[in-house]
Amino acid sequence: MHEGDRRSWLRGAEPPGWVRAMPVVLLAGVCVAALVSPDPLDIGFLLGAIPPLAVLSYGPLATAVLGGLVVVVLNVPALRLNNPGNTDLLTVVFVAALSVLVSFVRSRRDAQLVTERAVAEAAQRAVAPPLPERVAGVRCAGLYRAAQSGTLVGGDFFDVREGPCGVRAVMGDVQGHGLSAVATVASLLGAFREAVLDRPDPESVAARLDRRLVVDSAAVRHSELFATAVVLEFGAGSTAVRIVACGQAGPVLLRDGRAVELDVPVGTPLGIGLSDASPPTGVSVSLRPGDRLFLASDGVWEARNADGAFYPLLDRIAGFAGDLPELVERVWADLVRFAPDLQDDVTMLVLAPAPPEPR
């Protein structure tokens, strides 16, 4: 899954260069202005802003150095910065000392946040590792953008695995989104990876996922846990795919420059517990060289622009060329232009038969 790191420098990212340059530029600007002016300038008060500005991007040592330079500059006779009195100097020294303290606290917190973020990313990647470019005879590309900024896993999930019966893929959407849905995503992905190894067909894989959610729901009082998903199985040579849809529409077939939504029976969502009474039904679709299967979550299908219009995926995607990773990036860029204020997790998965690997 690609990480959509949408952090700004106000949310933990490194400050931009102009923020780091502000204290130095301000100090240099005041000195130059005072030297070139024929008359004394009453601009010494501007130097008092330098230590607080340094806190935004510098550590305590650099902040202390800049604060010391401010005190020195205020006392240089040649600059004639209105001859600050003792009270003014003490105020500047106090602000500088306070800025050093704040910088020390900020630096410690930043270091702790970096450590916590690294641990969180490692845990989330363990749940949903990056998708390989090829799994046996199937090429694949995925894109994930969580609705909750700064997270790698939310309410959507996908995976592609090879097993004794061929290559199987899943893409789904659990109830809710963001970090509250991560536990359910981890449970479903674990069940899918196990089912790939011992279930004879994609219908039984879907039934296994349904049972997993039913068991999880039984352990939670008043739980209404459910998920929608599409399970696919590629046969030998990847010349056909069997598709099982559980509460979610099937994939879009991209063939010869056209985009067609496949007519797949949509069964009940996972977690309802109806897999025994009403087992999921799949359909088989023949594939040709060059075919691509495009799966998208509700975050794509139900995205709306400012006028309330839905994103026209079928009309747009037919005109996007390029390889699989390029395709998902183009759809993502177009989606963001169409609906900048996305409120749901966005997931895309593209699968295509791959030519035999050279021996």
Side-chain angles (χ1 to χ4, degrees), residues 214-239:
V214 170
V215 172
D216 290 348
S217 298
V220 181
R221 190 178 182 182
H222 305 305
S223 173
E224 296 180 355
L225 193 61
F226 67 90
T228 61
V230 178
V231 180
L232 304 94
E233 178 181 276
F234 291 84
S238 302
T239 58

Side-chain angles (χ1 to χ4, degrees), residues 59-119:
L61 179 60
T63 302
V65 170
L66 287 169
L69 288 175
V70 168
V71 175
V72 171
V73 167
L74 286 172
N75 286 280
V76 173
L79 296 178
R80 300 170 298 168
L81 291 174
N82 202 30
N83 298 321
N86 291 334
T87 302
D88 295 331
L89 286 175
L90 287 175
T91 300
V92 171
V93 170
F94 174 77
V95 171
L98 187 61
S99 298
V100 171
L101 176 62
V102 173
S103 178
F104 174 77
V105 174
R106 180 193 62 79
S107 298
R108 293 292 297 270
R109 287 188 176 181
D110 283 353
Q112 181 66 23
L113 287 174
V114 168
T115 301
E116 292 177 356
R117 180 173 177 82
V119 172

Side-chain angles (χ1 to χ4, degrees), residues 8-358:
S8 68
W9 67 278
L10 295 177
R11 294 183 177 181
E14 287 292 326
W18 63 268
V19 175
R20 296 182 61 84
M22 276 196 304
V24 178
V25 170
L26 181 58
L27 180 62
V30 169
C31 293
V32 170
L35 288 173
V36 300
S37 174
D39 301 314
L41 296 178
D42 189 13
I43 58 174
F45 68 94
L46 294 175
L47 297 177
I50 290 177
L53 287 176
V55 171
L56 296 175
S57 53
Y58 290 98
L61 179 60
T63 302
V65 170
L66 287 169
L69 288 175
V70 168
V71 175
V72 171
V73 167
L74 286 172
N75 286 280
V76 173
L79 296 178
R80 300 170 298 168
L81 291 174
N82 202 30
N83 298 321
N86 291 334
T87 302
D88 295 331
L89 286 175
L90 287 175
T91 300
V92 171
V93 170
F94 174 77
V95 171
L98 187 61
S99 298
V100 171
L101 176 62
V102 173
S103 178
F104 174 77
V105 174
R106 180 193 62 79
S107 298
R108 293 292 297 270
R109 287 188 176 181
D110 283 353
Q112 181 66 23
L113 287 174
V114 168
T115 301
E116 292 177 356
R117 180 173 177 82
V119 172
E121 289 183 357
Q124 293 183 80
R125 290 192 185 280
V127 173
L131 196 65
E133 296 181 359
R134 176 172 177 152
V135 178
V138 178
R139 293 186 299 124
C140 40
L143 180 141
Y144 184 84
R145 295 292 185 268
Q148 187 168 343
S149 179
T151 62
L152 304 178
V153 180
D156 291 355
F157 61 94
F158 58 70
D159 200 4
V160 183
R161 297 277 166 159
E162 182 183 12
C165 299
V167 176
R168 290 169 173 174
V170 65
M171 195 193 81
D173 182 2
V174 306
Q175 178 192 24
H177 57 77
L179 292 177
S180 61
V182 172
T184 305
V185 167
S187 181
L188 283 172
L189 287 175
F192 170 75
R193 291 161 186 168
E194 180 182 353
V196 165
L197 300 177
D198 57 20
R199 294 291 89 192
D201 50 53
E203 288 86 351
S204 59
V205 173
R208 175 69 66 85
L209 299 181
D210 176 70
R211 188 182 70 175
R212 178 72 267 168
L213 277 190
V214 170
V215 172
D216 290 348
S217 298
V220 181
R221 190 178 182 182
H222 305 305
S223 173
E224 296 180 355
L225 193 61
F226 67 90
T228 61
V230 178
V231 180
L232 304 94
E233 178 181 276
F234 291 84
S238 302
T239 58
V241 61
R242 189 158 182 82
I243 307 168
V244 178
C246 302
Q248 183 171 319
V252 174
L253 175 63
L254 302 176
R255 174 182 290 172
D256 300 330
R258 294 184 301 165
V260 179
E261 187 175 0
L262 294 176
D263 185 14
V264 180
V266 179
T268 56
L270 304 174
I272 305 300
L274 300 178
S275 58
D276 293 333
S278 178
T281 303
V283 295
S284 295
V285 178
S286 298
L287 298 176
R288 305 173 188 171
D291 285 353
R292 293 172 291 176
L293 294 172
F294 183 91
L295 297 95
S297 66
D298 291 342
V300 178
W301 288 104
E302 298 179 2
R304 296 173 182 252
N305 62 9
D307 298 327
F310 287 106
Y311 177 65
L313 176 62
L314 293 178
D315 295 334
R316 300 289 185 94
I317 195 173
F320 294 141
D323 202 9
L324 271 59
E326 186 178 0
L327 174 63
V328 293
E329 292 293 346
R330 287 188 174 185
V331 175
W332 166 250
D334 187 61
L335 177 66
V336 172
R337 285 193 296 267
F338 181 87
D341 189 23
L342 294 170
Q343 300 296 323
D344 199 1
D345 297 335
V346 171
T347 307
M348 305 177 209
L349 177 63
V350 188
L351 305 167
E357 293 183 313

